[in-house]
Amino acid sequence: MEGSTRTVAGQSHRLGSGGQIDRNAPLNFTFDGKTMTGFAGDTLASALVANGVRLVGRSFKYHRPRGILTAGPEEPNALVELRTGARREANTRATTAELYDGLVAQSQNRWPSLRNDLMSVNSLFSPIFVAGFYYKTFMWPAKFWEALYEPAIRRAAGLGKTAGIADPDHYDKAWAHCDVLVVGGGATGLAAALAAGRAGARVIICDDDSRLGGRLLSDGGEIDGIDALDWLQGAIAELSSLPNVRIMTRTAVFGVYDGGDFGVLERVNDHLPQPPEHQVRQRLWRISAKRSIVGAGAIERPIVFPGNDRPAVMMASAVRTYVNRFAALPGKRIALFVNNDDGWSTVDAIRRAGAEVAAVIDPRGKAAVGDYSGVRVVQGVVSDVGGGVDGVSSVTVNGAGGIQKIEADCLAMSGGWNPNLALSCFHRGKPAWRDDIAAFVPANAPTGMTMAGAANGDLSLGACLRTGHAAGAMAAAEAGAKGKAGNAAKASDEAFAIKPLWHVQVKGKAFVDFQHDVTASDVQLAQREGFESVEHLKRYTTLGMATDQGKTSNVTGLAIMADAVGRSIADTGTTVYRPPYAPVAIGALAGHNRDENFHATRLTPSHHWAAERGAVFVDTGLWKRAQWFPLPGETDWLQSVTREVLAVRNGVGFCDVSTLGKVDVRGADAGTFLDRVYINAFASLAVGKARYGLMLREDGIVMDDGTTSRLAEDHYLMTTTTAKAGPVMQHLEFCRQVLWPELDVQLSSATDQWAQFSIAGPRTRDLLQALVDPSEDMSNEGFPFMGVRTVKLRGGMDARLFRISFSGEMAFEIAVPARYGGAMARNLMIAGEPFGVTPYGTEALGVMRIEKGHVAGPELNGTTTAGDLGLGKMASKKKDFIGRVLSQREALTAPDRQVVVGIRPLDKARRLRSGAHIIPKGGIPGPETDQGYVTSVCFSPTQNQWLGLGLVSHGAERHGEIVKAHDPLRNETYDVELCSPVFYDPEGVRQRA
Amino acid sequence: MPDFLWNSQSPLEKAVIAGRHGAGKGTPGVSLSHVGDIALVQVMARRGRNADVAKAAKKLFGTETPAMLKVANGKSATLIWSGPDQFLAFSQQPRSAPSLEQMEEAFAGTASLSNQSDGRCLIRISGPSANDALAKLTSLDLHDSVFPVGAAATTSIDHTAVNFWREADDAGANPAYAMLVFTSFADTLWHLIVDSSLEYGVEVAAIGAGH
Amino acid sequence: MRIACPFCGARDSGEFTYLGDASPKRPAAPLDGGAAVEEQFYDYVYLRDNVAGFTREYWYHGGGCRSWLIAERSTTTHEFKSVAAAPGAGAAKTAQAGER
Amino acid sequence: MKYSIFSLARAALSSHKNWGRAWRDPTPKKQYDVVIIGGGGHGLATAYFLAKEYGIRNVAVLEKGWIGSGNAGRNTTIIRSNYMLPGNTGFYEMSMKLWERMEQDLNYNTMVSQRGIINLYHSDAQRDAFARRGNTMRINGIDAELLDAVEIRKILPFLNYDNARFPIMGGLMQRRGGTARHDAVVWGYARAADQLGVDIIQNCEVTGFQRSNGRITGVETTRGTIGAGKVGMAVAGSTSRVAAMADLRLPIESQVLQAFVTEAIKPLIPGVVTFGAGHFYVSQSDKGGLVFGGDLDGYNSYAQRGNMPVMEDVCEGGMAIMPMIGRVRLLRQWGGIMDMSMDGTPIIDKTPVDGLYLNAGWCYGGFKATPASGLVFAHLLARDEPHEEAKRFRLDRFRRGAMIDEKGQGAQPNLH
Ligand SMILES: Cc1cc2nc3c(=O)[nH]c(=O)nc-3n(C[C@H](O)[C@H](O)[C@H](O)COP(=O)(O)OP(=O)(O)OC[C@H]3O[C@@H](n4cnc5c(N)ncnc54)[C@H](O)[C@@H]3O)c2cc1C
Ligand SMILES: NC(=O)c1ccc[n+]([C@@H]2O[C@H](COP(=O)([O-])OP(=O)(O)OC[C@H]3O[C@@H](n4cnc5c(N)ncnc54)[C@H](O)[C@@H]3O)[C@@H](O)[C@H]2O)c1
Ligand SMILES: Cc1cc2nc3c(=O)[nH]c(=O)nc-3n(C[C@H](O)[C@H](O)[C@H](O)COP(=O)(O)O)c2cc1C
Ligand SMILES: [Zn+2]
């Protein structure tokens, strides 16, 4: 590949040949409104480089002009707002954004323009705006913080602007499984995947990049005696041909979780303007792997010296990437500042591209190996970089021969390589220091993970191929694969000699963390103030807390701290590594579960029927339940609900109650079992009878209530509240399997099996008479209160009929298999037609239970005892049951507990509201006078006023007392009377009629 | 007296829209179907009565109770392992399957039965991309080596428990699966399954049709 | 995280719910137990060793086979050493109450 | 040196060379009147108040790592006093009042930002529960407002009002709620305590207790034995482990709570918002990151890191109410170890071991308590009797049945 400085029309810095771009596919894009052209295969960054753009962004704090530093996900500077409208995304790294036709990017964190950013005055105050300055000021006057200082700081901080409107794209999530997960598709990862794949293991190989190859794409070289890029084609072809290998590009492994689970993000369609129809933008994978191999490469690190943040100061490896992979020239006269041999290899790339090498500045003098004749070499360091917002014009060098200025339009730097070991540390393993490469290397990787290649500190291509292959073969074998892994590919082990150089100690702003504007002197200041722990250093200066998570800056920063404290770097240690390896869109983590799909929806058997009747639905847990059924002309919910209640009280109505939990409790010991879980007796319940039951938690607090029927000697049907169906089932299984394994009981949820309707009102029997087979005796004697049995219905249907009442009326519950739920609703309408039958919803149900003084969710709130609910007498004294012992504790039986009472406003026109508190008449509201609160309210059509239930201290003894309902939230205080909670038919005559 | 009709109704009555949905033309990536009116009984052995249950099952269905994580194909019903010492007896032709009463008699004293014919809803999914669509729904590893024809699992889809098993491959030699989902969740899960399949193109069979 | 249900095999943790330490045993509760029994129940319900390291704990495979399980798991690494069925899972006959 | 804009400007002239340590790095003495174990917010605040309010200055705070390395350094920084049960209400409001003057008290900008907290409700039942809570607050002199959907929409126009699975019907707002800069709270208390003579000793792990005649006389540490008249534990997630060294079993389990931060973006979310029908709450840091969290991971853990399911669950909650954050990227995920008590409420009391005092059970809510916790614990250590506002936080409440269970979940810590 012989490049040349001959450029492509309009792309001032595009080489005339070479690179892995498709010159036949030109793509237009705009940056800050200016239209430019790149090629398929470009990233936004490479296209900007090709177009000679240097100034790309502004830094976080000082708003300093910044260019492109790297060519990968570690990029701290070149962040843009990508796309427009609802798809605008902030902080997108130009170095990883693939170019597509019509791409629109804006620079960010500047005003009014990138070139003239007024916020760059912050730079003038930089003597004051040092690390942690804000902790020392803005304290007075106290009120000014929220009003003035903080808003100003917030506006200046932040980076890009997000769209602020709903993300229009779709996301989903998926699972995948494999024997061996290979992270990274560079030389190491390819070698590993080939070995494991050949051995027959199920392999998934993921690479963040759009293409496999890693640094091979940038650095080329020779493998197995052929050009590395040709070898790469062969390797990809072989992997693609193996049915047990799955290749996933544009896919980043971002997290390592317990037991071999990996968090993985596939950017399915980010390389397109928008996802094609029916496709997602990104997909979250959870990959479950028996073994993993991480060949994530290494990240080149900058050197800290004044001016190192000027646009067109670039990592040496990035210069190679732009030149070799993208045929884009970061500069035409490029100087190098390096302290290791790998940096020197950039010289070849520059020369082959036909550009000029201004000089190589290396504190060591010459490279240890390699032929660099004809290159100007200066033994020394760079102490300043000349230029402006548009980049470099010169570099100042402090060398053996004194200070000199060298003209250059780009400075390539290399301070060495940090193995990309984040994934090995996500289980809180700490890396170890290796002197020979002056870098941290993985130690204590999570179980099942092998680090290999550059990510493990084996930097040479030969070593990458060897260690990758060995890791692949071993992982496959450990995962149980029996095949042969074949031979490792071979390449030379180029020397890697380095002399650590972290910081050029001369005057001037020398940046450690580019994005967050953390300088070497900030690190030193933190040390002086006692923020010596690297974790304190991080939090005090914000070093490493930017979008790049310090991929280029952390190690350098702590080396400077080590120096300031006089400790070794190894002793100084690293900060904690945390997922994600690269930032992940929240949309992808949510996947399909947003908007109406946030949670599943459960429908009752009569749902569609109710919907056809125009029911208004309410969410109860996951269920949609009919709340009321408005009739034409009704404008207010209360109107509808009141009508429904009166229809029941005076005639007959029905309501779908299928949502109640139903549990088949079967087995020889079913009765004994229920005796232990309920506070009252069930073994003694006669077959064909139902009984109300109350169960406690072991701490003596009420857990749930419901009616349980005995259908056969060894068969009970328990009902639970809608909300607690799941938890109660779990609890019962615990009792069965853990507490009393000796009992012969089997449990099965029958909730969804039955469509169950409550039919209530004085005309209930009339309705039923019309529905049931004439042979059924429906008289009070033939079907007494709390009786249960299967009856024949007209038209050939069996139903379970329970004579139970929640409303206080003469009532039954009727159950048929769920598939007949719709038919049942229709037939109830037909059977009840002569009696004015009225379907009612949960609201009317609630009104009637309050009128009747039945407790429900608001009273069963997890802090009330049976006694509090007025149900203490139900507790059997003859048996043990769950919660019995602890329910007797002193504070749970104290006389001043808040217990259920009825509450009615003295002014009959007054609306009572839930959540109002009860204070004694004449009492001044305060913690001492706060005696309880209103739990449930309704407008009672039978009493023709609002009334409610409450939990009030000493409530049972205070019926008749006038107290105050105090509701400051709604600016109301009014007199109410405490009374019996049973407002309607206290003798219970109606339900037994 | 009025006439009472007892039409049965599928929980997917509204959800199933027969025809082709989503991407592409040609062979659909995913085929979906649902049949209603199934017979399904949960059979749970009584304490210490496992062997008797197996015997009774053999007599009634002509097959042993299913091994752990397997399906057993009996004469008139498929027995689907659903947990330790329990299984589901499933039949798509309720009329030719033993009635609940016959089952109660056969298992009297040895197993507790719970009729779930209306508690669960049957959904089938197959096709060249069925595994891709299912990868979005289930955390099970459906690789042939792990989940071959006849494998069964009780697992969760969208936080909801389902009984899931692999049936014989479809006519195109693509994998085919069946699942029983809770009736009240059927509508929501159906939509989720369709959504997950759209990118592959999905053919939805009319209710009752399909395999 | 995957949990190896002894019946279902390794399953996603989302199918399971957690209860807590499996060492406390529900005390016998004679009806006239008085303060001593109350003290035992207080201990059973409230007091925990809460160790850092391996513990035995209850998990419920509610999103799968509905078995209660007893797992040995490390609270420092989340590694599962073993997962066993609760004594009453399935229909296996356990002779004695509380034999576990 | 006193901190102010003037001292900053002066320091700038000498390139900030003259700033000294924010707190000293002393060698531990042989004996202290009081040793506090745990250099989190609570431990440091306790030391500060011991010195400031109770005149006890021969105090050491022992921290096994760096101060703030526990939950103080990893929480979502929400401060509020919207509790509803007696015991909590007064205590957290006292704390809120201390927050309101913290910066001036400490001469440290802890960035207490009262931008308001809104708890959304999605059903009538939830509204009623919030009404009960809000009225309790008002009766106790705490600000609270019950807002309907229209009012919420004015403040939070970006929420999902149109196609939410659980419609947003309104919210309970406490305008005085908000956030504070968590690390600064630690550093501010450390610096202020240090200036009053307290020794802050980092990298000093307590490994055992010294006892004589049943009474605690000192602690064994990785930096030697240190004598103490009294020892106060404020070790949050490590409570059971440290208590075990004194043979104590407590009504506490340790669980992981995760938190998340996104890349920094320009101001988007005004205050704190919590979702009432899923697990999600969020605020935006001054730096621009959305700081958010949700439910516990749900099992006992000391791993100080979380797993994926909760991260997904939380992001689902976020997308459910704010679909505009779909393209905002999650930057970092971490976890802290919560000392979950059996009723979700703290315990501040003497222990059955003479000379050993307990401050624990803060669950995921103890950051907001930091100043009050320090004050009442200092009171207990100094006076040997509970502070008026902490009387109900005693250990024997479980024995007596006097739980303070705001969520009504009973003795199951992972549900609180
Ligand atoms: C993710 C997350 C989010 C949260 N969000 C909020 C929120 O929004 N609002 C809120 O009010 N609360 C929140 N909390 C809770 C709050 O952070 C804690 O309740 C509170 O910080 C606990 O008190 P602390 O600061 O003293 O604890 P910590 O900071 O944990 O202090 C305890 C210290 O003790 C040290 N220690 C432990 N063992 C020893 C030993 N043997 N020897 C010496 N030292 C030892 C530890 O290293 C630690 O530094 C959250 C917590 C987490 C993890
Ligand atoms: N001689 C030296 O001084 C020196 C120094 C460093 C690197 N190198 C060269 O670099 C190459 C290293 O090879 P390698 O294969 O180890 O690394 P590599 O950098 O070539 O490949 C790593 C790949 O992993 C991908 N990746 C990283 N993190 C990922 C994640 N979390 N999820 C998905 N993909 C991820 C990257 O996109 C990249 O393609 C060799 O050619 C080596 O010679 C040489
Ligand atoms: C309120 C708050 C804001 C944070 N903002 C950032 C941030 O902007 N960038 C970042 O990298 N981490 C941020 N973090 C996370 C910390 O880096 C760190 O992960 C967390 O404090 C836990 O510590 P650990 O990860 O060292 O264990 C933030 C943490 C908190 C509590
Ligand atoms: Zn299982």
Side-chain angles (χ1 to χ4, degrees), chain A residues 428 535 538-539 544-545 549 576 578, chain D residues 73-75 77 182 261 287 291 331-332 334:
Chain A
R428 315 225 40 189
E535 299 288 1
K538 160 183 155 174
R539 286 157 175 81
M545 297 181 80
Q549 290 286 287
V576 175
R578 293 283 189 186
Chain D
R74 57 189 68 243
N75 68 82
T77 77
H182 57 295
V261 66
K287 211 156 79 50
V291 178
L331 174 66
R332 198 168 163 99
W334 67 93

Side-chain angles (χ1 to χ4, degrees), chain D residues 38 40-42 63-64 71-72 75-76 78 206 364-368:
Chain D
H42 291 212
E63 167 54 50
K64 70 173 171 188
N71 294 339
N75 68 82
T76 42
I78 297 167
V206 171
Y364 39 72
F367 176 65
K368 68 179 78 66

Side-chain angles (χ1 to χ4, degrees), chain D residues 294-314:
Chain D
D295 208 3
L296 295 168
D297 268 30
Y299 36 81
N300 289 14
S301 172
Y302 286 95
Q304 224 180 54
R305 62 182 170 79
N307 269 313
M308 266 241 282
V310 163
M311 167 159 66
E312 295 177 38
D313 181 62
V314 171

Side-chain angles (χ1 to χ4, degrees), chain C residues 5 7-8 16 61 64-67 69:
Chain C
C5 172
F7 304 110
C8 303
F16 300 80
H61 194 190
C65 69
R66 290 197 291 125
S67 296
L69 308 173

Side-chain angles (χ1 to χ4, degrees), chain B residues 1 42 119-120 125 168:
Chain B
M1 276 295 154
Q42 187 174 13
R120 312 289 167 93
I125 176 168

Side-chain angles (χ1 to χ4, degrees), chain A residues 60 83 86-87 89-92 109 127 130 133-140 142 145-146 150 154-162 164-167 169 171 173 254 257-258 263 281 286 426-428 516 525 528-533 535-536 538-540 545-547 549 576 578-580 583-587 589-590 593-596 598-601 619 621-622 624 697 699 861-863 889-892 914-917 926-927 933 966-970, chain D residues 3-5 8-9 12 15-17 19-23 66-67 73-74 103-104 107-109 111-115 124 128 130-132 134-136 138-140 144-146 158 160 163-167 172 181 183-184 187 202 262-269 275 277-278 284-288 292 303-308 311-312 315-317 319-320 323-335 398-403 405 407-411:
Chain A
F60 192 85
R83 304 174 208 268
R87 287 196 167 81
E89 46 183 277
N91 307 337
T92 299
N109 203 31
V130 291
F133 78 97
Y134 30 77
Y135 302 121
K136 299 189 175 105
T137 180
F138 301 137
M139 283 167 280
W140 297 97
W145 177 250
E146 287 89 348
E150 189 181 45
R154 286 175 165 261
R155 270 196 303 276
L159 283 164
K161 281 197 297 291
T162 186
I165 45 177
D167 184 352
D169 284 339
Y171 301 84
K173 309 190 207 176
F254 65 78
Y257 299 95
D258 285 317
R281 173 186 174 220
R286 301 83 143 203
F426 286 164
H427 286 195
R428 315 225 40 189
H516 270 175
L525 171 65
R528 280 199 296 284
E529 293 197 75
F531 297 90
E532 271 175 12
S533 151
E535 299 288 1
H536 278 156
K538 160 183 155 174
R539 286 157 175 81
Y540 195 60
M545 297 181 80
T547 59
Q549 290 286 287
V576 175
R578 293 283 189 186
V584 180
I586 291 175
L589 288 161
N593 294 80
R594 58 180 280 197
D595 300 327
E596 49 284 303
F598 167 55
H599 278 176
T601 303
D619 293 298
L622 297 180
K624 293 271 182 211
R697 304 190 306 230
D699 68 354
N861 64 11
T863 60
R889 281 178 291 171
E890 139 198 355
L892 292 183
S914 282
H917 281 237
Y933 68 104
H966 181 59
D967 193 354
L969 281 180
R970 288 167 287 212
Chain D
Y3 289 163
S4 72
I5 184 69
L8 252 177
S15 305
H16 300 276
K17 288 277 185 288
W19 289 115
R21 298 186 67 99
W23 59 87
W66 37 280
I67 58 169
R74 57 189 68 243
E103 285 144 6
Q104 293 72 30
N107 178 231
Y108 206 90
N109 185 357
M111 303 185 191
V112 175
S113 175
Q114 295 179 292
R115 281 173 293 135
D124 290 349
D128 293 348
F130 281 158
R132 172 196 177 190
N135 277 329
T136 308
R138 293 284 287 269
I139 287 171
N140 283 270
E145 292 158 61
L146 195 63
F158 47 77
N160 189 358
N163 48 356
R165 171 71 180 81
F166 300 104
L172 179 68
R181 172 81 179 92
D183 293 320
W187 302 334
Q202 303 188 79
T262 68
E263 295 179 346
I265 48 177
K266 292 292 179 197
L268 187 69
I269 293 172
F275 182 21
Q284 189 167 11
S285 80
D286 281 343
K287 211 156 79 50
F292 63 100
Q304 224 180 54
R305 62 182 170 79
N307 269 313
M308 266 241 282
M311 167 159 66
E312 295 177 38
C315 290
E316 287 168 11
M319 284 300 280
M324 68 164 175
I325 59 174
R327 305 180 94 85
V328 179
R329 294 186 203 90
L330 187 150
L331 174 66
R332 198 168 163 99
Q333 164 194 28
W334 67 93
F398 300 99
R399 183 68 192 79
R400 293 191 300 110
M403 293 77 71
D405 189 351
K407 280 208 179 162
Q409 292 291 4

